[in-house]
Structures are given as structure tokens and as C-alpha cells.
Amino acid sequence: MKALFVLLLAQLCSASLVPEREKDPEYWRRQAQETLRNALRLQRLNQNVAKNLILFLGDGMGVSTVTAARILKGQLHGQGEESLLEMDKFPFVALAKTYNTNAQVPDSAGTATAYLCGVKANEGTLGVSAGVTRDRCNTTKGQEVTSILRWAKEAGKAVGIVTTTRVTHATPSAAYAHSANRDWYSDGEMPPDALEGGCKDIARQLVENIPEIEVILGGGRKYMYPKNVSDVEYPHEEKQRGTRLDGRNLVQAWQEAKPRDKVAEYVWHRRGLLALNLSRVDFLLGESLHPRVPWHQLDKEERPAGGGQCQAVPGSAGGRIDHGHHEGKAKQALHEAVELDRAIGLATRLTSTQDTLSVVTADHSHVFTFGGYTPRGNPIFGLAPMQSDVDRKPFTSILYGNGPGYKIVAGERENVSAVDFAHADYQAQSAVPLRQETHGGEDVAVFARGPMAHLLHGVHEQNYIPHAMAYAACIGSNRGHCNAGARPATPLLLPFLGLLLLLL
């Protein structure tokens, strides 16, 4: 009866959900003409030198996720399909091909190497060329490739990494690390042959490779401490103890590496971050307990440090979109995407398109979809207004191609009307049973605004992205177009203080 009521309600309400203004053809004509006028204004290209670069990376934020997040955002504010994400307002949009050099459907390490280092790589490898074989430490030497973060730092820029996952995760770590395996978070996760071969773990590289990173904020602090050292916040939780075999305290090493006349602050909790006078801080390292920052709005845990102030910011503020999809929990993934969009909006309001190039993209997609001929205004996490014409059971609009949501009850597909499919932990039904849902192989969107944003304009290889951004900012190797009067400006502290409060 519950399912029937929902289906009938959707059918009865579909006609009334069409706004009166949209019944007038002139509404659509006026909208199209306004869009045309805005497009014509783009003929006056912004060719300024970008003083600031911001890269927002929604991990796993494929096009279907963008669309569903747009609808969710609208429904959270009493609107719907007609609403706009902040990234939708960016004037230039491109597509990026995400395949790795050895993989049709990519992973986050190979893609991170592409959009941060400008070089495509094998799956599972970080900051190295395709000459490196995963797990083979002895193939790494001489194959290291540098990132746009390093290019910016070498040009005198202030730089930062902000993520809602661990800072040693594949997505942010390609900005500073070179590794034959994305999972070598500390030396405690490395095999003996890799240690004997002289390869460094990712946490160590975070501290040693580019010690002048002004802002590092995310999760995963246990990889910074010696094995079995109790966590500062939860001393009695064994699984949160340090993992390092070399006995080093990398937080202490990070602080000691800074010049004596500079202030380097380490925080591990929201309260500590808010207590800082950031105008007097030169370097900031913030690491939460958990390797993954808690879900925004979907739990009651306090969110740890998650923002920063910097001039060139490769970020992963939407790092948990990917985690939600892998677990088949679309509600968590989409709320994370909406939260990322809030961060994009704040950064947009606090910066100028005259000197700040902002790029929003994803590393890869997921086998996530929504459909079922839902009417306008149908709850994005709701049922489709029809039953299967095969098994005569209802189904949710959101589905996965594979993943943990595959369930057979009494020899048949589970009847979703008997479960709470709107719960945050609900795992949407999938076609193929897997413990973890997989990535998708389709192109991802690239949104751009600001100086030289028009360089992101069509279908590109993913590794093109940092080259276009570097060209806009006159950093990296391609600077022949930069005249003497277009020198990189004195580092400007972007207003990410507001952003870091938003991401907590």
C-alpha cells in the first residue's frame, strides 16, 4: 500500500508541478535570448594573467552526479530541476577523457597524476610516468613528474591542499608525492622490497618533498606517528594508533623543518583551528583523526580542519563523493557534492574573475544513474512512478550498475517499498553484486571561469588541465607568452578562512 500511495501521489502531482510561467512560450524564448546575450559577451576573452588558481576536485563526481546534485540542491531550497549549481554558472565547460595509460576505466591515482602533473600514468601510481609499474619500487627512479603545485611554489606562489579525505589519499597526494603504489600511506603499509629499494612512503613525502606548502588540511593523522603511539584525541582506540615503523613523528619533523622566523601551527581539532589567529600563521597543518572526514549534515560528529588560505590550491573538497558511491550510498555522495558546491560558491563570491582562475572537475565517474521516467519534482531519492513490467516490483529512481546494493530476497529482487530507501545509509539497488561499486569510464565535465578559462573549451585529455592552468598563471615551463610586465604577483592570501569554516 505504501508503494501504491507514493506512485499515485507522483502521478497526481506531476501536472501541478509545472510552474505557470513555464506554460508561456515567451518564458522560454526570453530565457534563451538572455543566455544568447551572455554567450555573446564571452567573445571578449579574459586574457589576464591569473594571480590565483583554484582547482576544485569532486572525487567521483561524474555528470550524472552533477545533475542529481543540482536537483538535490534545488529540493533542499524549495526548488528543483530548474535550480543551478555554482559550477553551472561557470561560462566555460569542457569534457576530460579519464582513462589511465593502462586502464579503460581509471583509478584516482592515475587520474590525479594527469590533472595535477600534466602526464597520464598507470592506474595505482602517483606522480610518476607510465614507465612505472604498480608495486615495483625499482621502476620509480627517474620517472618522477612534478605537479602544478610545485610549479606554483617555484614561481613564488603560496600553495595549499585542502581535502575532506586523508591528505595521503591518492587524489591530493599526486600534488607532492611520487609512488609506485597509492596505498603506501606510511612505511607500515610498504612491503620489505620497497623499503629496501629506498622508496619513501607518501606521508614522509608530504613532509619532505615540498616542505614550503603553506596549508595542508585533511584527515589521516595516524600515518604521521610511530607505530602503536596512542592517538591524541582517542588514546584508548587501538585502530587509531600510529602506523610508522621508522619511529618518526612527522608532525614534529614538519614543524622543525620551518624557518625559525616563521610560525608553523599544527591543529587536530576544529576548536584548535578556530582558536588560531591565521593572520599570524605562516604554515598550517591540520589533520583529523579519521582517514575520512565525517559526512556533512548526515551525522553528528564534529568535522575536523578542512580549509586553508593559499594562492594556488589543488583541492579535494568533495573527496567523499567517491566514498559514498563506492558504498552504494547515493544520499551521502550527493550531499557531499552539494557541500562542495557551497564551497565553490563562497570562493566565487570572495574572489575576482579578473585575477582568479577557478576550475571545477572530477577525476572519474561512477556507475551511478537515475531514471525511470520520474515526473518533475520527484524526490531525487524517491521511487520511480512505475513498477517493473518484469517482476512487478517498484524501484528507486537512483540505481547503480554494480555494487553492494544487489539483494535477492526469497529468490527475487528485494521489494524496496518495504525498506527505508530515503535513509542516509540506504544502498541503492545494483545490477551486479560487488562489495564495492566501481568507477565509470565516461568523460567528466570541466567547468572554468576567470583568466584564460576559454582554454578549457572542448574534449581534452585529462592531463591538459594543469597545462592550461599553468599557462594562465605564467608558471611552469610554458611562459614564452608572459611579458616583463606580467610577473607573478606577490602572494595573496585568498579568503579561504571563510571556506575552511564552511568545510568543517
Side-chain angles (χ1 to χ4, degrees):
M1 185 62 69
K2 174 184 175 183
L4 178 63
F5 170 76
V6 173
L7 296 176
L8 288 176
L9 182 62
Q11 292 171 342
L12 290 172
C13 294
S14 60
S16 63
L17 289 173
V18 179
E20 282 300 315
R21 63 181 183 180
E22 293 185 13
K23 298 177 182 178
D24 182 358
E26 281 304 310
Y27 167 80
W28 297 107
R29 294 178 183 131
R30 287 193 300 271
Q31 183 199 66
Q33 289 299 315
E34 178 61 26
T35 302
L36 178 60
R37 286 190 290 272
N38 290 335
L40 290 170
R41 295 188 189 105
L42 297 180
Q43 293 181 97
R44 300 189 292 272
L45 299 178
N46 181 346
Q47 301 188 60
N48 297 344
V49 173
K51 183 189 301 181
N52 309 304
L53 300 175
I54 309 177
L55 175 60
F56 288 98
L57 194 286
D59 196 321
M61 189 177 69
V63 173
S64 57
T65 298
V66 171
T67 307
R70 179 189 304 127
I71 295 173
L72 173 60
K73 177 183 178 180
Q75 292 180 348
L76 289 172
H77 295 88
Q79 300 173 345
E81 295 77 4
E82 73 282 1
S83 64
L84 290 175
L85 292 168
E86 296 297 332
M87 66 186 86
D88 293 337
K89 302 171 187 177
F90 283 32
F92 295 95
V93 181
L95 292 175
K97 297 187 286 183
T98 63
Y99 67 92
N100 297 150
T101 48
N102 67 339
Q104 188 178 74
V105 177
D107 93 311
S108 293
T111 51
T113 303
Y115 64 77
L116 288 175
C117 302
V119 174
K120 286 221 171 192
N122 292 330
E123 61 88 23
T125 64
L126 285 168
V128 291
S129 75
V132 173
T133 303
R134 186 170 186 172
D135 295 323
R136 296 275 301 277
C137 169
N138 61 0
T139 64
T140 306
K141 188 174 182 180
Q143 300 297 322
E144 299 89 349
V145 293
T146 57
S147 73
I148 189 171
L149 185 139
R150 181 180 287 276
W151 309 342
K153 175 50 65 177
E154 291 175 349
K157 305 283 188 178
V159 300
I161 298 170
V162 180
T163 179
T164 53
T165 184
R166 64 174 71 91
V167 294
T168 51
H169 184 272
T171 303
S173 61
Y176 59 84
H178 314 286
S179 180
N181 191 314
R182 56 175 287 177
D183 298 326
W184 291 349
Y185 304 122
S186 75
D187 58 350
E189 286 76 39
M190 296 177 67
D193 66 302
L195 294 173
E196 293 167 3
C199 284
K200 297 180 181 179
D201 62 87
I202 295 170
R204 179 179 172 186
Q205 293 187 62
L206 172 66
V207 172
E208 296 181 355
N209 285 7
I210 313 177
E212 310 86 11
I213 299 174
E214 277 79 5
V215 175
I216 304 169
L217 293 167
R221 66 176 175 245
K222 70 179 182 178
Y223 305 112
M224 308 287 281
Y225 291 97
K227 188 173 180 63
N228 292 326
V229 168
S230 297
D231 182 75
V232 65
E233 188 176 10
Y234 298 100
H236 303 298
E237 293 191 15
E238 184 175 348
K239 67 179 180 179
Q240 305 302 342
R241 293 176 181 174
T243 64
R244 303 199 60 78
L245 301 178
D246 58 11
R248 297 184 66 190
N249 180 328
L250 291 185
V251 172
Q252 182 179 345
W254 174 84
Q255 291 177 314
E256 292 175 348
K258 302 299 177 289
R260 292 183 178 275
D261 61 340
K262 301 294 183 181
V263 177
E265 294 284 357
Y266 170 70
V267 294
W268 51 268
H269 198 278
R270 180 176 185 269
R271 289 190 296 271
L273 179 62
L274 296 180
L276 292 177
N277 181 348
L278 293 180
S279 65
R280 299 181 180 178
V281 176
D282 299 294
F283 297 96
L284 177 62
L285 172 62
E287 287 190 302
S288 70
L289 161 70
H290 301 284
R292 300 175 178 179
V293 175
W295 298 109
H296 177 75
Q297 295 181 342
L298 297 181
D299 60 31
K300 296 183 179 180
E301 288 188 65
E302 285 192 292
R303 292 167 66 88
Q309 43 186 342
C310 37
Q311 186 167 11
V313 187
S316 177
R320 301 211 63 192
I321 298 169
D322 182 72
H323 299 155
H325 281 324
H326 277 310
E327 295 173 14
K329 298 176 180 179
K331 190 165 191 175
Q332 298 183 352
L334 295 185
H335 273 276
E336 180 80 348
V338 170
E339 185 66 7
L340 169 65
D341 198 63
R342 289 182 62 214
I344 295 167
L346 181 58
T348 297
R349 293 191 297 274
L350 297 177
T351 58
S352 169
T353 57
Q354 295 305 302
D355 63 10
T356 301
L357 172 62
S358 298
V359 175
V360 181
T361 188
D363 48 355
H364 54 74
S365 185
H366 278 267
V367 291
F368 161 84
T369 188
F370 68 100
Y373 302 115
T374 49
R376 179 89 172 261
N378 200 75
I380 192 62
F381 302 115
L383 294 173
M386 57 189 294
Q387 293 183 345
S388 166
D389 57 4
V390 177
D391 65 12
R392 305 300 176 184
K393 290 184 174 65
F395 59 95
T396 55
S397 171
I398 286 175
L399 298 167
Y400 287 94
N402 57 52
Y406 180 94
K407 291 182 178 67
I408 297 297
V409 178
E412 298 182 345
R413 180 173 67 91
E414 182 181 47
N415 189 331
V416 296
S417 65
V419 300
D420 184 2
F421 52 79
H423 193 277
D425 289 327
Y426 173 71
Q427 294 175 308
Q429 291 184 336
S430 68
V432 177
L434 288 177
R435 290 186 177 88
Q436 289 278 300
E437 177 263 5
T438 72
H439 296 169
E442 67 268 24
D443 299 349
V444 295
V446 186
F447 306 86
R449 71 185 302 168
M452 295 291 179
H454 56 279
L455 298 179
L456 294 160
H457 63 284
V459 179
H460 303 295
E461 294 286 0
Q462 193 172 37
N463 67 290
Y464 169 73
I465 295 171
H467 291 283
M469 296 181 71
Y471 183 93
C474 286
I475 62 175
S477 60
N478 185 5
R479 290 182 286 180
H481 61 291
C482 303
N483 57 46
R487 298 188 306 274
T490 302
L492 168 70
L493 294 182
L494 278 180
F496 265 81
L497 175 57
L499 180 57
L500 75 89
L501 297 179
L502 176 64
L503 293 177
L504 296 180

